[in-house]
Amino acid sequence: MNISQLEEARLFIQSKKEVIVPLVLENLTNRDSVLCKHGSFGVLRNLLLITEEHEWMFDRNILYHLLFPLVGPEDMDEEDKDGMIPEIASVVGKKARESDLTARKLAIESLFILTATLPGRERLIKAKTYPIVRNSDMVEEDEATQEIAYELVNVLILSEEQTKPPPMLEACSTETIQFPSNQK
């Protein structure tokens, strides 16, 4: 069990976020340890259930850390890359996608949680999240990861005027969202 699944733990981490979150984000892209990545992605995903913290997380470059594992060797049109986070656009077509399925799945789930608010959806759209998730989904072999990527893509391509959160997130507060990968 990831302790951040408990509301009390999330609130504690939230109270110490200036110290803890940068360490968690660093583990997402700078660690070879799969266990560290899984734990860090799990903590981050659970912290994102506190939607009031999304803007603070965006200010800490969370999108870079969530999109980086999904970028793969496929090249993209300049139109798709225009508006991307520069550090992400510079590696498109030049790096291998994260090989660990759980890390990719948790990254996509975290991105999906960020769509719970209109400002979050707008930030993901502006950062050109759609082409990255689309390309990742085209080569993904895991059905549960494909399902959540499909839901995320649907949210991102809807009209920017849509103000309601995706149905999966409407009742979300501090409860863990049941993604297809979590259901048995």
Side-chain angles (χ1 to χ4, degrees):
M1 173 184 196
N2 182 325
I3 195 163
S4 66
Q5 290 175 321
L6 302 172
E7 183 176 8
E8 297 83 16
R10 282 193 299 274
L11 294 174
F12 173 78
I13 293 168
Q14 180 186 24
S15 73
K16 307 286 185 196
K17 66 186 178 188
E18 294 289 344
V19 174
I20 295 173
V21 170
L23 296 172
V24 169
L25 291 175
E26 184 179 319
N27 282 336
L28 299 180
T29 52
N30 296 334
R31 290 284 182 158
D32 290 329
S33 169
V34 173
L35 189 58
C36 280
K37 280 186 186 180
H38 290 186
S40 295
F41 270 115
V43 166
L44 184 62
R45 182 192 62 188
N46 291 331
L47 286 176
L48 290 174
L49 294 173
I50 305 170
T51 57
E52 298 80 22
E53 294 294 337
H54 286 188
E55 207 53 47
W56 186 87
M57 295 285 219
F58 281 122
D59 291 343
R60 299 313 178 273
N61 208 11
I62 189 175
L63 284 180
Y64 167 79
H65 295 282
L66 295 176
L67 293 172
F68 188 82
L70 302 176
V71 174
E74 305 84 13
D75 208 5
M76 290 186 195
D77 296 337
E78 287 304 314
E79 183 180 330
D80 280 342
K81 291 195 295 188
D82 186 37
M84 273 185 193
I85 298 165
E87 298 86 356
I88 294 292
S90 70
V91 297
V92 167
K94 299 176 186 170
K95 72 175 268 303
R97 183 169 287 104
E98 170 63 53
S99 61
D100 183 69
L101 168 62
T102 302
R104 292 191 314 269
K105 188 182 308 180
L106 290 169
I108 292 172
E109 289 176 357
S110 297
L111 289 166
F112 188 76
I113 293 169
L114 286 169
T115 67
T117 64
L118 180 60
R121 291 191 296 279
E122 290 172 343
R123 295 284 288 262
L124 268 68
I125 290 166
K126 183 179 177 187
K128 298 291 186 104
T129 302
Y130 166 73
I132 295 168
V133 174
R134 175 198 64 209
N135 284 2
S136 178
D137 183 48
M138 288 185 340
V139 297
E140 184 59 60
E141 295 178 3
D142 179 69
E143 268 187 54
T145 305
Q146 287 176 332
E147 284 181 46
I148 194 65
Y150 178 79
E151 292 296 325
L152 175 59
V153 164
N154 280 337
V155 170
L156 294 175
I157 61 176
L158 287 176
S159 167
E160 292 182 43
E161 296 171 13
Q162 174 132 352
T163 57
K164 288 180 67 178
M168 228 182 202
L169 296 175
E170 283 180 339
C172 175
S173 58
T174 56
E175 297 299 314
T176 301
I177 298 169
Q178 292 298 308
F179 289 103
S181 61
N182 299 1
Q183 299 170 350
K184 301 232 176 188

